[in-house]
Amino acid sequence: YRVVSSPTNLIWTEGKCPKCSGPMTAEEKRREAIERSARIQADVDRIFGHWNLLNDEAYEHMTLASFTPADLSQEKALKVLREYRPDRGNVLLRGPAGVGKTHLAIGLIRIYSDRGYSTLAIKSHDIFNRMRRAWNSKEDGAEVAVINALRNVGILLIDDLGIDNSKDTVNAKFYEIMDYRAGRKPTIFTTNMSIDEMAGKKGAALTSRINTRATDLIIGGIDYRAKDNNVWWQEIGTEVGMDPEGKRP
């Protein structure tokens, strides 16, 4: 057996009952796993709160069931994610803006949030901003609390990796967190970067950790945001006396 410390500083001996130190039954192990996940989730909610995209109503509609593939790459990604299990490691969703990477990623992590896993879905710039705020805080233990939450959360989703330009101490701490999670706990990433671009911007070491046992899905398609904007402008143009191409008759 080995001794394990929780993010709330509770200590137990893995495989043994924390009260009597005797062997745990299957039911006791199940209850302990549920309680441990709930403790971690409480820490995540306290530290990240409104930064968690799963708590944002703008993302409520994003499920795998509500995703409609627009091309073969999106269809393949949806099929792979429906069959995904956390023990398969990281997930990397790569492709241009507006092709559904965030929708697919949120849909995947939502499944496991509903199943009782501790989860956090967060924009990459928000995760770095939250880390900096902890670093600059005079509150005792703020930095350690943030690191522990990111290390221990069951499934972590980092959206839009690469839009941040962190090259400070926080970036080094982020590497430490990803190094710890690699091979232990799955992390889902979405990014517009290729692997080479990621290595150039984030470094080969971090890129290697991100790709550890990763399901790497390249997603193509048309930017749905630009498509929706074109439809909107066509409708407005008709109302103000323009043809569908935006020209006045």
mmCIF file of all heavy atoms in Angstrom, residues 27-48:
data_model
loop_
_atom_site.group_PDB
_atom_site.id
_atom_site.type_symbol
_atom_site.label_atom_id
_atom_site.label_comp_id
_atom_site.label_asym_id
_atom_site.label_seq_id
_atom_site.Cartn_x
_atom_site.Cartn_y
_atom_site.Cartn_z
ATOM 1 N N GLU A 27 -17.004 -1.732 -2.156
ATOM 2 C CA GLU A 27 -17.945 -0.638 -1.914
ATOM 3 C C GLU A 27 -17.267 0.522 -1.201
ATOM 4 O O GLU A 27 -17.525 1.699 -1.512
ATOM 5 C CB GLU A 27 -19.134 -1.144 -1.086
ATOM 6 C CG GLU A 27 -20.159 -0.087 -0.722
ATOM 7 C CD GLU A 27 -20.801 0.580 -1.930
ATOM 8 O OE1 GLU A 27 -20.775 -0.016 -3.027
ATOM 9 O OE2 GLU A 27 -21.319 1.706 -1.766
ATOM 10 N N GLU A 28 -16.385 0.215 -0.259
ATOM 11 C CA GLU A 28 -15.650 1.278 0.436
ATOM 12 C C GLU A 28 -14.723 2.019 -0.519
ATOM 13 O O GLU A 28 -14.593 3.244 -0.434
ATOM 14 C CB GLU A 28 -14.849 0.674 1.602
ATOM 15 C CG GLU A 28 -15.715 0.268 2.784
ATOM 16 C CD GLU A 28 -14.928 -0.512 3.838
ATOM 17 O OE1 GLU A 28 -13.892 -1.114 3.474
ATOM 18 O OE2 GLU A 28 -15.355 -0.507 5.001
ATOM 19 N N LYS A 29 -14.104 1.299 -1.442
ATOM 20 C CA LYS A 29 -13.245 1.938 -2.440
ATOM 21 C C LYS A 29 -14.060 2.842 -3.350
ATOM 22 O O LYS A 29 -13.621 3.934 -3.709
ATOM 23 C CB LYS A 29 -12.519 0.877 -3.270
ATOM 24 C CG LYS A 29 -11.446 0.118 -2.514
ATOM 25 C CD LYS A 29 -10.779 -0.916 -3.408
ATOM 26 C CE LYS A 29 -9.702 -1.687 -2.662
ATOM 27 N NZ LYS A 29 -9.072 -2.726 -3.513
ATOM 28 N N ARG A 30 -15.249 2.380 -3.723
ATOM 29 C CA ARG A 30 -16.121 3.181 -4.583
ATOM 30 C C ARG A 30 -16.542 4.467 -3.883
ATOM 31 O O ARG A 30 -16.490 5.553 -4.465
ATOM 32 C CB ARG A 30 -17.360 2.372 -4.973
ATOM 33 C CG ARG A 30 -18.250 3.054 -6.009
ATOM 34 C CD ARG A 30 -19.527 2.274 -6.221
ATOM 35 N NE ARG A 30 -20.385 2.373 -5.052
ATOM 36 C CZ ARG A 30 -21.211 3.399 -4.822
ATOM 37 N NH1 ARG A 30 -21.271 4.411 -5.677
ATOM 38 N NH2 ARG A 30 -21.954 3.422 -3.728
ATOM 39 N N ARG A 31 -16.928 4.344 -2.598
ATOM 40 C CA ARG A 31 -17.345 5.528 -1.840
ATOM 41 C C ARG A 31 -16.187 6.490 -1.645
ATOM 42 O O ARG A 31 -16.348 7.704 -1.736
ATOM 43 C CB ARG A 31 -17.918 5.106 -0.479
ATOM 44 C CG ARG A 31 -19.316 4.516 -0.535
ATOM 45 C CD ARG A 31 -20.006 4.644 0.814
ATOM 46 N NE ARG A 31 -19.230 4.049 1.886
ATOM 47 C CZ ARG A 31 -19.352 2.793 2.299
ATOM 48 N NH1 ARG A 31 -20.235 1.989 1.700
ATOM 49 N NH2 ARG A 31 -18.621 2.322 3.277
ATOM 50 N N GLU A 32 -14.997 5.937 -1.381
ATOM 51 C CA GLU A 32 -13.817 6.784 -1.188
ATOM 52 C C GLU A 32 -13.492 7.544 -2.467
ATOM 53 O O GLU A 32 -13.138 8.719 -2.434
ATOM 54 C CB GLU A 32 -12.626 5.930 -0.758
ATOM 55 C CG GLU A 32 -11.309 6.692 -0.675
ATOM 56 C CD GLU A 32 -11.349 7.868 0.286
ATOM 57 O OE1 GLU A 32 -12.065 7.770 1.312
ATOM 58 O OE2 GLU A 32 -10.668 8.876 0.015
ATOM 59 N N ALA A 33 -13.618 6.874 -3.634
ATOM 60 C CA ALA A 33 -13.350 7.530 -4.911
ATOM 61 C C ALA A 33 -14.341 8.662 -5.155
ATOM 62 O O ALA A 33 -13.962 9.745 -5.634
ATOM 63 C CB ALA A 33 -13.421 6.511 -6.047
ATOM 64 N N ILE A 34 -15.604 8.440 -4.810
ATOM 65 C CA ILE A 34 -16.635 9.471 -4.976
ATOM 66 C C ILE A 34 -16.339 10.656 -4.069
ATOM 67 O O ILE A 34 -16.420 11.819 -4.483
ATOM 68 C CB ILE A 34 -18.030 8.887 -4.674
ATOM 69 C CG1 ILE A 34 -18.414 7.870 -5.756
ATOM 70 C CG2 ILE A 34 -19.075 10.008 -4.592
ATOM 71 C CD1 ILE A 34 -19.691 7.109 -5.455
ATOM 72 N N GLU A 35 -15.996 10.375 -2.824
ATOM 73 C CA GLU A 35 -15.708 11.450 -1.861
ATOM 74 C C GLU A 35 -14.461 12.231 -2.268
ATOM 75 O O GLU A 35 -14.411 13.454 -2.154
ATOM 76 C CB GLU A 35 -15.533 10.861 -0.458
ATOM 77 C CG GLU A 35 -16.830 10.294 0.113
ATOM 78 C CD GLU A 35 -16.602 9.501 1.392
ATOM 79 O OE1 GLU A 35 -15.432 9.427 1.837
ATOM 80 O OE2 GLU A 35 -17.578 8.950 1.933
ATOM 81 N N ARG A 36 -13.441 11.528 -2.759
ATOM 82 C CA ARG A 36 -12.213 12.183 -3.185
ATOM 83 C C ARG A 36 -12.480 13.089 -4.382
ATOM 84 O O ARG A 36 -11.996 14.229 -4.437
ATOM 85 C CB ARG A 36 -11.154 11.129 -3.530
ATOM 86 C CG ARG A 36 -9.789 11.724 -3.872
ATOM 87 C CD ARG A 36 -8.687 10.681 -3.782
ATOM 88 N NE ARG A 36 -8.845 9.596 -4.706
ATOM 89 C CZ ARG A 36 -9.141 8.344 -4.371
ATOM 90 N NH1 ARG A 36 -9.325 8.023 -3.107
ATOM 91 N NH2 ARG A 36 -9.256 7.408 -5.284
ATOM 92 N N SER A 37 -13.285 12.604 -5.341
ATOM 93 C CA SER A 37 -13.633 13.407 -6.506
ATOM 94 C C SER A 37 -14.419 14.645 -6.090
ATOM 95 O O SER A 37 -14.193 15.746 -6.626
ATOM 96 C CB SER A 37 -14.457 12.576 -7.494
ATOM 97 O OG SER A 37 -14.797 13.329 -8.630
ATOM 98 N N ALA A 38 -15.314 14.498 -5.121
ATOM 99 C CA ALA A 38 -16.107 15.633 -4.651
ATOM 100 C C ALA A 38 -15.236 16.670 -3.960
ATOM 101 O O ALA A 38 -15.449 17.885 -4.118
ATOM 102 C CB ALA A 38 -17.199 15.145 -3.696
ATOM 103 N N ARG A 39 -14.228 16.221 -3.207
ATOM 104 C CA ARG A 39 -13.314 17.164 -2.555
ATOM 105 C C ARG A 39 -12.518 17.955 -3.583
ATOM 106 O O ARG A 39 -12.341 19.170 -3.454
ATOM 107 C CB ARG A 39 -12.357 16.414 -1.614
ATOM 108 C CG ARG A 39 -13.007 15.845 -0.358
ATOM 109 C CD ARG A 39 -11.945 15.422 0.657
ATOM 110 N NE ARG A 39 -11.084 14.363 0.180
ATOM 111 C CZ ARG A 39 -11.293 13.067 0.365
ATOM 112 N NH1 ARG A 39 -12.371 12.670 1.018
ATOM 113 N NH2 ARG A 39 -10.433 12.175 -0.081
ATOM 114 N N ILE A 40 -12.032 17.262 -4.601
ATOM 115 C CA ILE A 40 -11.261 17.932 -5.645
ATOM 116 C C ILE A 40 -12.141 18.924 -6.393
ATOM 117 O O ILE A 40 -11.723 20.055 -6.681
ATOM 118 C CB ILE A 40 -10.651 16.895 -6.614
ATOM 119 C CG1 ILE A 40 -9.609 16.043 -5.881
ATOM 120 C CG2 ILE A 40 -10.015 17.587 -7.815
ATOM 121 C CD1 ILE A 40 -9.099 14.861 -6.693
ATOM 122 N N GLN A 41 -13.381 18.505 -6.714
ATOM 123 C CA GLN A 41 -14.285 19.398 -7.437
ATOM 124 C C GLN A 41 -14.610 20.646 -6.615
ATOM 125 O O GLN A 41 -14.702 21.752 -7.166
ATOM 126 C CB GLN A 41 -15.585 18.671 -7.798
ATOM 127 C CG GLN A 41 -16.477 19.465 -8.745
ATOM 128 C CD GLN A 41 -15.835 19.661 -10.104
ATOM 129 O OE1 GLN A 41 -15.480 18.692 -10.781
ATOM 130 N NE2 GLN A 41 -15.672 20.913 -10.520
ATOM 131 N N ALA A 42 -14.747 20.481 -5.317
ATOM 132 C CA ALA A 42 -15.011 21.632 -4.449
ATOM 133 C C ALA A 42 -13.851 22.619 -4.495
ATOM 134 O O ALA A 42 -14.054 23.842 -4.535
ATOM 135 C CB ALA A 42 -15.258 21.162 -3.019
ATOM 136 N N ASP A 43 -12.627 22.105 -4.509
ATOM 137 C CA ASP A 43 -11.453 22.970 -4.614
ATOM 138 C C ASP A 43 -11.433 23.692 -5.960
ATOM 139 O O ASP A 43 -11.149 24.885 -6.042
ATOM 140 C CB ASP A 43 -10.170 22.150 -4.446
ATOM 141 C CG ASP A 43 -9.926 21.732 -3.007
ATOM 142 O OD1 ASP A 43 -10.533 22.346 -2.123
ATOM 143 O OD2 ASP A 43 -9.141 20.794 -2.781
ATOM 144 N N VAL A 44 -11.728 22.955 -7.044
ATOM 145 C CA VAL A 44 -11.743 23.546 -8.386
ATOM 146 C C VAL A 44 -12.793 24.651 -8.471
ATOM 147 O O VAL A 44 -12.523 25.740 -8.994
ATOM 148 C CB VAL A 44 -12.023 22.452 -9.446
ATOM 149 C CG1 VAL A 44 -12.358 23.071 -10.796
ATOM 150 C CG2 VAL A 44 -10.821 21.518 -9.578
ATOM 151 N N ASP A 45 -13.997 24.392 -7.949
ATOM 152 C CA ASP A 45 -15.071 25.385 -8.004
ATOM 153 C C ASP A 45 -14.723 26.626 -7.196
ATOM 154 O O ASP A 45 -15.027 27.750 -7.602
ATOM 155 C CB ASP A 45 -16.375 24.773 -7.486
ATOM 156 C CG ASP A 45 -16.921 23.704 -8.418
ATOM 157 O OD1 ASP A 45 -16.512 23.669 -9.588
ATOM 158 O OD2 ASP A 45 -17.764 22.901 -7.962
ATOM 159 N N ARG A 46 -14.071 26.428 -6.065
ATOM 160 C CA ARG A 46 -13.705 27.558 -5.209
ATOM 161 C C ARG A 46 -12.642 28.429 -5.870
ATOM 162 O O ARG A 46 -12.699 29.661 -5.803
ATOM 163 C CB ARG A 46 -13.196 27.033 -3.859
ATOM 164 C CG ARG A 46 -12.650 28.113 -2.924
ATOM 165 C CD ARG A 46 -12.241 27.516 -1.591
ATOM 166 N NE ARG A 46 -11.308 26.424 -1.739
ATOM 167 C CZ ARG A 46 -9.993 26.580 -1.903
ATOM 168 N NH1 ARG A 46 -9.464 27.791 -1.967
ATOM 169 N NH2 ARG A 46 -9.194 25.533 -2.005
ATOM 170 N N ILE A 47 -11.687 27.789 -6.536
ATOM 171 C CA ILE A 47 -10.546 28.521 -7.096
ATOM 172 C C ILE A 47 -10.852 29.109 -8.469
ATOM 173 O O ILE A 47 -10.448 30.230 -8.778
ATOM 174 C CB ILE A 47 -9.320 27.591 -7.171
ATOM 175 C CG1 ILE A 47 -8.864 27.220 -5.753
ATOM 176 C CG2 ILE A 47 -8.175 28.240 -7.946
ATOM 177 C CD1 ILE A 47 -7.889 26.075 -5.712
ATOM 178 N N PHE A 48 -11.588 28.360 -9.307
ATOM 179 C CA PHE A 48 -11.784 28.800 -10.680
ATOM 180 C C PHE A 48 -13.189 29.341 -10.962
ATOM 181 O O PHE A 48 -13.356 30.098 -11.909
ATOM 182 C CB PHE A 48 -11.442 27.661 -11.646
ATOM 183 C CG PHE A 48 -9.983 27.332 -11.645
ATOM 184 C CD1 PHE A 48 -9.486 26.275 -10.894
ATOM 185 C CD2 PHE A 48 -9.083 28.090 -12.377
ATOM 186 C CE1 PHE A 48 -8.139 25.970 -10.878
ATOM 187 C CE2 PHE A 48 -7.730 27.804 -12.373
ATOM 188 C CZ PHE A 48 -7.255 26.743 -11.618
#
